[in-house]
Amino acid sequence: QYSAYVEDACQDITSNGDTVSAFLMEGGMSVAGVILPPKSYISRCVRAVRDAGGLYIADEVQTGFGRLGKCMWAFEYSNDDSDYDDDDKVLPDIVTVGKPFGNGMPIAAVITTPKVASAFESLGVEYFNTFAASPVCCAAGLSMLHVLSKYELQKNALEVGSLLMKLFSEVKARHGWIGDIRGSGFFLGIELVRNQQTLEPATEETSFVCSVLKEKYRVLTSIDGFHENVVVVKPPMVFTKEDAA
């Protein structure tokens, strides 16, 4: 039902004789409260956008490079289901990556297809960046990719992330403050509520928990979601089972 909003928007645009330029989406929506889209959502949206003349741009700044554990990129999350129809599997036209690429060093990248690159080049528009990285930043990016592969950090995110989910579920069973635990790998959201039946958002309490975690236990988390009641847990990719316990 959610993809219908995109499908209807594309139909409305094309009915006026216009075309869609692009559909930009974060495969795991962090600011929304750690939301992983329902199965087939991305494929249905992308099909509508492409039928309307647009491109699919995947924002992988927060969710890329194996953070979800199950897959290297968040846009692959549903593609990896064994019962997923091959016709529903999608690949972006453009992928953007950023902060994690250099593990703190300032570097980002735009990955695209030869078709899109050639179309851009044919426009004859000069492209430049005020800051276009440096050999040092590029070396950091290459080193990050090497470490990610050598130490199997995507697999680590899946295994340790699953343990974290289990531990949070045990806390949920003992206390009534947790309404939902969601996400994958090292991209987790703990939704805090005042009542598990009504799901009343525990906004003030979430802020308190986040502050205590930082000030008392030196654990850095963040808060997201429409009601600002989701504690976002995104540990470093080298986070271990010992750290989780």
Side-chain angles (χ1 to χ4, degrees):
Q1 72 186 73
Y2 301 106
S3 60
Y5 291 101
V6 177
E7 294 166 338
D8 291 345
C10 290
Q11 185 176 5
D12 181 62
I13 291 171
T14 54
S15 67
N16 294 323
D18 295 323
T19 58
V20 173
S21 296
F23 172 64
L24 174 61
M25 178 183 170
E26 188 178 31
M29 292 165 276
S30 180
V31 174
V34 185
I35 304 295
L36 294 176
K39 181 178 177 180
S40 81
Y41 173 80
I42 293 180
S43 61
R44 289 186 59 173
C45 291
V46 171
R47 187 180 301 116
V49 168
R50 286 176 172 164
D51 287 346
L55 300 177
Y56 166 36
I57 304 174
D59 175 1
E60 294 284 350
V61 171
Q62 291 199 56
T63 54
F65 296 116
R67 175 158 290 278
L68 268 60
K70 182 181 176 183
C71 46
M72 183 67 167
W73 308 106
F75 69 78
E76 298 177 291
Y77 186 77
S78 294
N79 287 355
D80 284 353
D81 286 344
S82 58
D83 61 343
Y84 209 66
D85 190 332
D86 284 344
D87 292 336
D88 283 335
K89 293 183 178 181
V90 294
L91 288 175
D93 300 292
I94 300 172
V95 176
T96 61
V97 296
K99 295 169 284 190
F101 194 3
N103 194 33
M105 293 292 286
I107 184 172
V110 175
I111 305 153
T112 189
T113 64
K115 182 179 179 180
V116 173
S118 297
F120 181 79
E121 185 179 15
S122 68
L123 293 176
V125 177
E126 181 184 6
Y127 175 77
F128 73 97
N129 276 310
T130 302
F131 176 74
S134 72
V136 175
C137 295
C138 291
L142 290 173
S143 295
M144 188 283 293
L145 292 174
H146 172 71
V147 170
L148 183 69
S149 174
K150 179 179 179 180
Y151 295 101
E152 299 182 308
L153 296 185
Q154 179 182 329
K155 178 182 177 182
N156 182 67
L158 179 61
E159 294 178 351
V160 182
S162 297
L163 173 60
L164 283 171
M165 291 278 280
K166 176 178 178 293
L167 295 173
F168 284 130
S169 295
E170 293 174 358
V171 175
K172 179 182 179 182
R174 297 196 304 268
H175 303 282
W177 287 96
I178 297 179
D180 190 27
I181 303 167
R182 53 182 177 261
S184 178
F186 284 160
F187 183 68
L188 304 177
I190 316 301
E191 183 175 351
L192 300 187
V193 296
R194 292 173 178 164
N195 185 296
Q196 288 183 327
Q197 280 67 50
T198 65
L199 300 181
E200 179 187 355
T203 302
E204 291 81 6
E205 294 86 346
T206 303
S207 178
F208 175 77
V209 168
C210 190
S211 296
V212 169
L213 286 172
K214 180 184 68 173
E215 295 171 7
K216 185 174 181 180
Y217 298 101
R218 299 297 186 264
V219 175
L220 296 179
T221 58
S222 58
I223 299 174
D224 274 323
F226 182 77
H227 298 288
E228 296 187 345
N229 67 318
V230 179
V231 178
V232 181
V233 180
K234 294 184 289 188
M237 293 292 284
V238 294
F239 199 73
T240 66
K241 292 181 179 179
E242 291 73 24
D243 294 325

